[in-house]
Amino acid sequence: MSQAVKKKNSTTILDSTRVEIRNLTKQFGSTTAVHNASLDIENGEFMTLLGPSGCGKTTILSMILGTLQPTSGEITFNGQPINKIDMSRRDIGMVFQNYALFPHMTVAQNIAFGLDMRKVSKSEKKKRVEEAIEMVQLNDLGNRFIKDLSGGQQQRVALARAIVIRPRVLLLDEPLSNLDAKLRKEMRTQLKKLHDELGITTIYVTHDQEEALSLSTKVTVMSNGIIQQIGTPKEIFGKPKNYFVANFIGYGNFLRGKLIDEQDGQFIFEADKDSVRLVVNHDKQHQVGDEVILTIKPEMLEIITDPKIGMNTLSGKITVSDYIGSATGYEVETKEGRTFKVNVLGLNPYAMGEEVRLYLDPAKLLIIDEE
Amino acid sequence: MKAEKSFPELEKEDGQTVQGNINRKPLRNSRKGLFLQKGYKTSSWALILLFLTIVLGMTIAVVLSAFGEEWYGTFLPQGYTIEWFIKAWQAYEVGEYFKITMGIVLTATVISLVLSIPTVYILARRDFPFKQALISFFQLPFTLPDLLYAIPVASIFYSIGLAETIPGLIIVNLIVGIPFSVFILLPYMESLDPRLEYAATSLGATKFKLFQRIVLPQVVPGITASAINIFIRMFNTFTIILLISGPKTQTLNVMVFSVLQGSGSQPPAMLNSLALTLMIPLLFFSFLSLWVSSFTQRRLGK
Amino acid sequence: MNQEVFAKKRDYLLLLPSLIPLLLLFVYPLLKGFVMTFQQPETAGLTLANYVEFFTNSNYYDTIWRTLYLVVPASIIELFIAFGITYFIREKMRGGGIIAGLTIFPLTLGSIIVDMAVIAFFKPTGWFNTTLINMGLIDEPFTLVYNYAGAFIALVILGTAFIASNLVGMMGTIDPNLERAARTLGASRWVTFKRVFWPLIRSNVLTVFALNLIMQIGVYSTAVIVGNPASETRTFVVVAFEEAMRNFNYNMANTVAIVMGITQLLVLSIVFAIRKRGYIGSASTFK
Ligand SMILES: Nc1ncnc2c1ncn2[C@@H]1O[C@H](COP(=O)(O)OP(=O)(O)O)[C@@H](O)[C@H]1O
Ligand SMILES: [Mg+2]
């Protein structure tokens, strides 16, 4: 315990930087990797860029870092435009996807590199390198060469090298994607702790929604170079704005259609394809006449046996059953020819081909837009 | 960067350092860096332009000279002609030497392949002591300076009467041909599926068709590609051929070199034309490899 | 069982078709050539006379300096040009491919055509001199062919092409993220080069440099065609060929060849001694 307190005292919580991105666009020839992106990252915030591979996350990071010049748009640190500042002068800590550790240097030399560039005095350098090594728990490995480290250890060195310079902004490009599942979880907790301690404005790139959820104070979801939604993890996962976001974070079931009527604070929804009618709670953002999509998570769908509930039920039969540890994933094909994904906790006794009824709770159905 | 050192740490009463609200100094570029970068870029471009101008200039100059009617004192030749090529071709019997060269190199390629394939097979499929040393030994002839063995070989060949004969020229090509075949066939042979052999041996002669359909298509492309490489390698053999060549028994490049070495009186246009005939093999091989790749692709139905 | 072992042993006979010709055509001459340097034509018995002759007669021992004087400065310049060009275009740059292609292009022409091209371009009435004269920079043309300068230029062009052809691939193996990492940590371009790029590529560069140097020590056709083989560019091989083909003194010819081989070996060990003093290993550690 006293150890922990001592550590806290010796660590400096840094003043940090507010990053603003305005109308940022990057084109490679005819392909647009990033399209008109605007983002604010507050002082000390942990922002995650979430999106599938190839959606432009690394490109945004590279423009902040300075390895790529934006085609148009602006990036500012605390109000100062940095587009024209050379990358060596931006004071950014970066953890590369492949770590990019210097193979001809030891762990300590790698970590000290940025301090050398800043002409930090010898004693100060020694102190800060030791501090960083301790912070990422690499004690006693300072004199090893990089090739003698495991993947997880390399990852820590990369992190230490980035934070030891006390950067204005810390950028991490899928830092955990090359670790095995167990190590990934462990590093995640460490990263979170580190951010809590240091308070550096952090931009974190991942395609893993679980990482985004557990680490971030704010999440930005991207697809095809376009920002789809910005919000707290809770907002993103509880209220996805559109089809892409909902689909990406795991809402498996979608019905396209129209809100045709309103009664008792509830909408009546009619599907385009088969005129299925469903009742859904009013969400204050849509009104009668809107073309919308209804969506519900597989774990929110219920398989019922009670024949009394008639509203918002669809009958069908089980076509796929897949036991995945704590839950069973079913696919149910309805009479209308739709397929619904349903997750049921535990190993439930529904057989293949069994006739069941699905209940779509009006409170759990979500109204979203196509775009 | 100075901001780092004078970085303020505000201490709260409880001893914990907290976020300092004082902003750091604004970011600035280094003037010196920008200046150096400009200088570096400019000098690099100057270097590139200078070198490429010379490379292109001399290439164009030699080509224009070979195709020029008369070129003296003016920036460009007076007119263009292929007269010099025809003259050079006839005066030095280029066609004849090309044929001789092809004959020698082709024969030497086939012999090299036949002699080295069994060895490559053993090296690829068996493990034995000193195997690595043997492989290194096979690389010696084309890593050692060729003069070291060429002179004694010439002396031996002159004393036993093999010098200045076509068989002699074919034999000396094997000195590089065999090790080079081993060198390039070995990785290929190692990559082949060993099951092919079982298939091939268990099939027997009666199932020749199957052999032709399954084994051959897998082996032929690699061997062909290797053969072309060996062929090119030997086409450029120079030192040893020069040492044992006779007036009528030499290869194209040795003949061209001998002419260029000893003739101050010939018109430069004709000499340049002669030198450029050395491009014939280059063109020949480009077409050959194109043809072979399209042929094998068609044969294999890919 | 015995049968099988026997069959396996017999398999190794398959090594013979390639080994026997090599023993006869390569190993035997190599050894015989070595012995020949201790013999005189027409006489039996071993003697050091050839080596004594080589190191006392300036006609012979000058070839060492002449060769090195021609080849060492040329290969250093080649290294600088080739490295400068390939380093500049190493990251995807518009026109980079064309520049690399043109730099390497002389290799496909081969030594003899390059020699003739150097003559056509640098001769007194060639484009190089006439351009300089027309610009008013010089009054009299430079004499740049059939002498040291001519051989030097031809060597530089071929050697640059050779080194560049190797460097292009080597530079591709160095992860650009390493340089980016150094830069984001505050290093200038020069410091990044000095502390990251160069240490990683150094050992490979020195290897190519040594290879090229060794190749150029064996320079022959260039020395004969664009150089002045009678004096300034009288290299090892020129003298060896003269002894073998004009004087039919194979003993002396091979003595020259052996001295050349030793020189190459010395050069190689010097370069490798330098190489050993830096980082030798992979440029990537990513697992
Ligand atoms: N240097 C480049 N040249 C051309 N296209 C590029 C380049 N870098 C990235 N792209 C393209 O931009 C898009 C976004 O890439 P990236 O930002 O790397 O995606 P990710 O979200 O996986 O990090 C991709 O379609 C990619 O092909
Ligand atoms: Mg990426």
Side-chain angles (χ1 to χ4, degrees), chain A residues 28 31-33 51-60 68 97 173-174 205, chain C residues 92:
Chain A
F28 295 109
T31 56
T32 305
S53 186
C55 73
K57 306 180 298 285
T58 299
T59 307
I60 289 191
L68 285 178
Q97 198 165 356
D173 192 354
E174 312 210 14
V205 160
Chain C
K92 270 182 203 154

Side-chain angles (χ1 to χ4, degrees), chain C residues 32 43 62 64 69 106 135 138 162 193 224 248 275:
Chain C
K32 181 167 194 280
T43 53
D62 272 355
I64 301 179
Y69 182 61
M135 282 162 64
I138 52 172
F162 175 78
F193 176 78
V224 171
F248 292 102
R275 178 177 173 266

Side-chain angles (χ1 to χ4, degrees), chain A residues 17-22 24 60-70 73-92 168-169 171 203, chain B residues 25-29:
Chain A
T17 301
R18 177 184 155 83
V19 180
E20 285 173 35
I21 294 171
R22 286 281 164 274
L24 197 64
I60 289 191
L61 229 50
S62 304
M63 287 188 281
I64 301 171
L65 190 64
T67 54
L68 285 178
Q69 277 302 313
E74 195 176 61
I75 302 168
T76 62
F77 283 3
N78 287 337
Q80 184 196 3
I82 57 154
N83 292 26
K84 290 208 168 64
I85 304 287
D86 189 81
M87 61 186 284
S88 65
R89 294 287 175 138
R90 289 190 184 186
D91 248 0
I92 293 175
R168 289 163 195 254
V169 182
L171 307 181
I203 304 175
Chain B
K25 282 188 190 163
L27 297 163
R28 265 207 359 244
N29 275 326

